[in-house]
Amino acid sequence: LAFVTWPSFRAIRNLSDEIYEQRTQLEGLYLRGQVLKQTLKEFEEVKPKVGALSSIYVKRGDELTFIKALERVAASHGVTQEIRLGATAPKQTDNRLPFQLEAKGPLKSVLAYLGGLEAIDYYVNVDTIRLSSSTNASDQAPRAAKTSSGISITLQATAYRTP
């Protein structure tokens, strides 16, 4: 009896192990399918926002529009501004657009100008800000004769091109 039942028992045990492995694999596939469904659902929710995200980048070859936006901010706040774009290699794959802004004007105007820069529709990362007072009189004139004309601000910043 043992010679007859033992091979049958071993075959049933092997079948049970195979069934367990297949069940585990199916559960794994089911979970991955659920994750995929959730990912697709989240992607569909985010998809309309991608257009808004791409609009914060400077389009390659359309840097002039970005510069005009900076000039409008300076003009609207009564600040004189000088823009210096960083040099980039023609075939550079880097999407960064480094630049420097120098602005001068009354304190309130320069502060409003900074707020205006923050509100422009481009993503700009400011690396360095330098503030200094500017005067109308020459350095040789007595201190009492110097009149304050406001402040000067220098920003080292980076904008980003469309990837």
Side-chain angles (χ1 to χ4, degrees):
L1 186 65
F3 293 114
V4 175
T5 58
W6 181 251
S8 298
F9 177 72
R10 195 171 33 176
I12 291 171
R13 190 170 170 198
N14 287 342
L15 279 173
S16 175
D17 290 343
E18 288 179 22
I19 289 171
Y20 178 76
E21 285 179 28
Q22 286 184 355
R23 182 174 150 222
T24 306
Q25 288 175 352
L26 284 174
E27 286 176 355
L29 289 173
Y30 175 75
L31 290 176
R32 285 197 306 203
Q34 292 301 316
V35 169
L36 180 62
K37 284 181 184 177
Q38 181 65 27
T39 303
L40 288 173
K41 179 183 172 191
E42 290 172 358
F43 176 71
E44 291 301 322
E45 291 173 2
V46 172
K47 199 174 184 179
K49 298 175 186 173
V50 171
L53 183 62
S54 66
S55 70
I56 66 172
Y57 293 106
V58 178
K59 290 178 180 59
R60 196 169 290 281
D62 197 24
E63 289 83 3
L64 185 59
T65 304
F66 173 66
I67 292 170
K68 286 181 180 180
L70 294 174
E71 289 174 344
R72 278 193 302 274
V73 171
S76 69
H77 293 97
V79 173
T80 59
Q81 170 184 264
E82 185 176 331
I83 303 170
R84 291 189 193 107
L85 293 178
T88 56
K91 293 186 177 182
Q92 188 176 7
T93 58
D94 191 8
N95 291 327
R96 293 179 295 164
L97 180 64
F99 63 96
Q100 177 179 330
L101 295 176
E102 290 185 26
K104 295 179 183 177
L107 177 63
K108 287 184 179 180
S109 297
V110 170
L111 291 176
Y113 166 75
L114 287 174
L117 285 178
E118 187 176 12
I120 64 172
D121 292 335
Y122 295 97
Y123 176 65
V124 175
N125 189 12
V126 176
D127 301 314
T128 307
I129 299 178
R130 268 192 319 265
L131 293 168
S132 61
S133 62
S134 57
T135 57
N136 286 340
S138 68
D139 290 335
Q140 298 167 348
R143 255 191 192 289
K146 290 184 180 181
T147 58
S148 174
S149 66
I151 63 171
S152 175
I153 186 168
T154 304
L155 299 169
Q156 294 283 350
T158 305
Y160 295 89
R161 292 185 181 104
T162 307

